Amino acid sequence: MLLALSTALALSSPGAASVAIHGRDAPMLGLGSSAAPLVPLVPLHPWELGVFSCVLELDTADFPEFGGNPAWLGRVGVHVLLRYMVAPPSDRGSGGGTSGGTSAAPEEVHVWGVVSAVPSLSTQQGKAAPKKPGASDPPHMDLDVQLRLTPVVQGAGGSSGSGGGGSGGSGSIGVPLEGVLKFPLGPIIQSVLASPLRARFTVPPGTAHEYVLSAMGGRPGRSCAFSPGELTHALDARGMHVAPVDGTQQAPTSAAVVIKPLHSLNEAVVGMLLHHIEHHMMLGYDRYIVYIWPRSVSRFMALPPIAAWVRSGRLTVVVWSVLKETKSLPLYDQRVVYNHACLAHVGMRTLLVMPDIDEFLVPLRPDLLSVFDVARECAPPHSVNFHLLRSNVIASHWPSAGAGGGGGASGAAGGAGAAAGTVSTVSPLDRYSWVCHKYRPMYKTMADPNHIEVFSVHRAQTLPPHNSSTVDPNCALLAHLPHIFAGTRAFTAVSRADFAEEQPWVDALARLARQRAAWLAAGEGSAAVALEAQRLGYYLPEYYAGWVTPPAAKRQGARKQGR
C-alpha cells in the first residue's frame, strides 16, 4: 500500500515545543522516543501517486525455461507497477466525433509500467556466474509472464496497438502488456531487476475503465482487480486523464529530488536530510520526495522541521509498503522505487534526480544558479537523460558546533539559528573543500520521465529517438561526501593523497555559500520554509566536528579503486 502525506494533512502538533540541539547528549528529535508527539495520519487512498501496485504469485513449473530442474522449483513472485493514462480530448489528434456530432471519438489509453521479481531467497540462490565486467545487469532469465488487462464490463475492450483487445468476461485474452520479467539467476545482493511494460489501445467513450490484471491465464493468486479511475494522484490533479509526452520534447518547468527508503532514521540522517532539502531547494528544485518504511513514518512526520516542509507542499512523504521490507536486503527495491517515481511523473514537465542524501549538486560556473541552468548549459541541447558525474569530497576541517552560536557561511542562517538556541546552520558542503576527480564513483542520473523506458540504480534507459548525455564535469557535478556518516577512517576507497584543495572547487563552494546567504536573506518561497525549519530545530550534531581528515599515516590499509 502506498500513502502520500501531502499538503492536505494537518501536520501541526499543538503545544509541541521547538527542538533545540546542543550536542552529543541532546535529544534525538523524538526518534526512538516513546514520549515524542505523534502526528495522526489521515487515511488516504492506497495509491496516492496514481501508480497501481500488484503482486502475483506464479510457479517455476509454469515455465519451460527452468526445464523441471528441482533446484528451481518454487514460487515466483511478480511485482507489477502500472500508470494508466487516458489522453484528454485535445491530445487525441484527428478523428473526433462524426459529422453529425452524435458520436464521440474513442478514448486513447496509454499504459506504462514496470515488472520485477519479488525476492525469494529460498528459490533464487542459483549458481550462475557473477556479473561480467561492464555488464549492466547480473545474470538473469527473461520470462514471458503473459500479463494482460481484461475489461470487467462485457464489450468494453477496444482495439489494441498490440493486436490484443477483446471483450471482457471469462476466456477473454484482454489487452497484452508488452514486456518480460527478468528472473535473477543468482542471489539478489543489492537490488532486483526491473523491466518496462507498455500497452496502447482505444476504448469506447464512457468506458468504466475497470479491469482484471492477470498473469499466465489468471488462475487464483494470479490476478488483481484494477480500477484506474479510482487512483488519486497527490502530484497531478488530472488523475488518469494524462497523456505521456510523445515524440516532441517540452522543456521542463519543475524539478524534483527522489530519495529511496532510508535505512535508519537518527539525528545524523535527519540533520543531513534537512540540509539536503535546503540545498536543492536553493538550486530551484520545487519538490522533494522521500520514500519511507511504515515503521518510521509516525516518528518522522512528528519532527517539527519535517512537518514544516510537508505543510509547505514542497516535501512529499511516500509511505512505501507496496513490498515487504527485507532488512537483509535494504536496497533490493531501489529500482522499483525509482521507477515508481518516474511513472508518477509521466505527463508532467518535471526533471527527476535520484541522489543519496550525501550527494549534492554543485554548479561550477558563476552563471549557473539553478538546476535548469545546469540542464540547459551543461549538456547538449534537447537532452532528456543526464549523466551527472560524481566526485568524492572530504572535509579539511570542521568548527566546534558551539562556537559562535549559529555562525557559518550565512549571516541570515546564523541569526535564525542563534535566536532559537540551535547549533550552527552552516551547510556541511561548505567545509568539504578537498576534492578528488581521479577515481569517480559511478554517475547518477537526472531525467525527464516522459522519455525514460526503465530506471536502474544509477542509469536510465532512454526511449528512442532520444539519447543519454553526460553533463560536462567542468560545468556541474555531484559532490559525494563519503565520510559524512561513517567517519573518514571507515572510507578507504580512495587515498587521502588523491585529494586536493583545487581553486575552482573552492570558488564554487564560496559562490554557493553567498547564494545561500542571499537566498535565506530574501526569505521568500522555499527559503521561508528553510528558515522556519531552522527555527524549529535545524541542527548539525556536534560529533560532526570529530569527522576531520586524519593524517595519512593514521590511515591503514587505504586502497584505490581500480588497483
Side-chain angles (χ1 to χ4, degrees), residues 80 82 85 101 127 134 148 159 161 190 221 228 292 302 347 349-350 364 381 405 431 462 505:
V80 180
L82 294 180
M85 297 165 285
K127 298 183 181 299
R148 278 161 174 70
S159 61
Q190 191 166 51
I292 191 169
R349 296 164 62 186
T350 301
L364 298 177
R431 305 298 177 183
T462 311
W505 178 252

Side-chain angles (χ1 to χ4, degrees), residues 302-321:
L303 304 179
I306 295 296
W309 279 110
V310 174
R311 282 196 304 269
S312 74
R314 291 169 171 84
L315 172 60
T316 296
V317 179
V318 179
V319 184
W320 186 242
S321 56

Side-chain angles (χ1 to χ4, degrees), residues 501-519:
E501 199 168 38
E502 298 179 358
Q503 195 60 44
W505 178 252
V506 173
D507 292 343
L509 295 185
R511 285 193 299 270
L512 280 174
R514 292 193 296 270
Q515 181 178 347
R516 180 173 180 265
W519 177 69

Side-chain angles (χ1 to χ4, degrees), residues 116-119 124 184 188 190-194 323 331-336 457:
S116 57
V118 178
Q124 294 181 17
I188 298 174
Q190 191 166 51
S191 62
V192 298
L193 300 174
L323 294 174
L331 298 177
Y332 85 93
D333 60 348
Q334 184 174 0
R335 302 182 200 221
V336 182
V457 175

Side-chain angles (χ1 to χ4, degrees), residues 273-283 288 309 413 425-427 516 519-520 526-527 530-531 533-534 538:
L273 180 68
L274 290 168
H275 283 297
H276 202 262
I277 295 172
E278 178 183 295
H279 175 86
H280 289 89
M281 289 291 168
M282 177 190 73
L283 291 179
Y288 197 98
W309 279 110
T425 56
V426 62
S427 168
R516 180 173 180 265
W519 177 69
L520 288 172
S526 56
L531 291 171
Q534 292 178 21
Y538 195 122

Side-chain angles (χ1 to χ4, degrees), residues 171-318:
S172 171
I173 64 171
V175 177
L177 295 175
E178 297 180 352
V180 297
L181 173 71
K182 292 184 177 181
F183 184 87
L185 295 179
I188 298 174
I189 298 174
Q190 191 166 51
S191 62
V192 298
L193 300 174
S195 50
L197 297 172
R198 291 291 188 273
R200 184 173 178 175
F201 54 96
T202 60
V203 296
T207 294
H209 300 289
E210 295 182 355
Y211 301 87
V212 172
L213 171 67
S214 63
M216 304 296 289
R219 297 199 300 271
R222 302 182 176 193
S223 63
C224 294
F226 178 36
S227 300
E230 298 179 5
L231 299 180
T232 55
H233 199 304
L235 307 179
D236 189 344
R238 294 176 293 175
M240 70 177 184
H241 293 284
V242 175
V245 178
D246 190 7
T248 59
Q249 179 198 353
Q250 300 181 38
T253 57
S254 63
V257 176
V258 177
I259 301 296
K260 65 180 182 292
L262 300 166
H263 301 321
S264 60
L265 287 173
N266 53 40
E267 68 260 31
V269 171
V270 173
M272 182 55 61
L273 180 68
L274 290 168
H275 283 297
H276 202 262
I277 295 172
E278 178 183 295
H279 175 86
H280 289 89
M281 289 291 168
M282 177 190 73
L283 291 179
Y285 289 89
D286 48 17
R287 187 177 294 275
Y288 197 98
I289 303 172
V290 176
Y291 287 73
I292 191 169
W293 295 114
R295 61 179 169 81
S296 303
V297 65
S298 295
R299 299 294 175 196
F300 186 68
M301 296 303 297
L303 304 179
I306 295 296
W309 279 110
V310 174
R311 282 196 304 269
S312 74
R314 291 169 171 84
L315 172 60
T316 296
V317 179
V318 179

Side-chain angles (χ1 to χ4, degrees), residues 435-508:
V435 61
C436 174
H437 301 304
K438 189 176 182 181
Y439 301 100
R440 295 185 187 274
M442 188 174 181
Y443 63 80
K444 290 293 183 76
T445 295
M446 179 172 66
D448 177 349
N450 293 289
H451 303 286
I452 298 303
E453 186 171 43
V454 66
F455 208 103
S456 184
V457 175
H458 294 98
R459 61 170 65 89
Q461 184 175 331
T462 311
L463 287 168
H466 301 285
N467 296 306
S468 57
S469 305
T470 299
V471 172
D472 181 357
N474 295 312
C475 191
L477 52 76
L478 277 181
H480 176 220
L481 285 58
H483 301 165
I484 201 67
F485 293 121
T488 52
R489 294 177 187 176
F491 183 79
T492 59
V494 183
S495 169
R496 167 67 178 81
D498 292 316
F499 289 81
E501 199 168 38
E502 298 179 358
Q503 195 60 44
W505 178 252
V506 173
D507 292 343

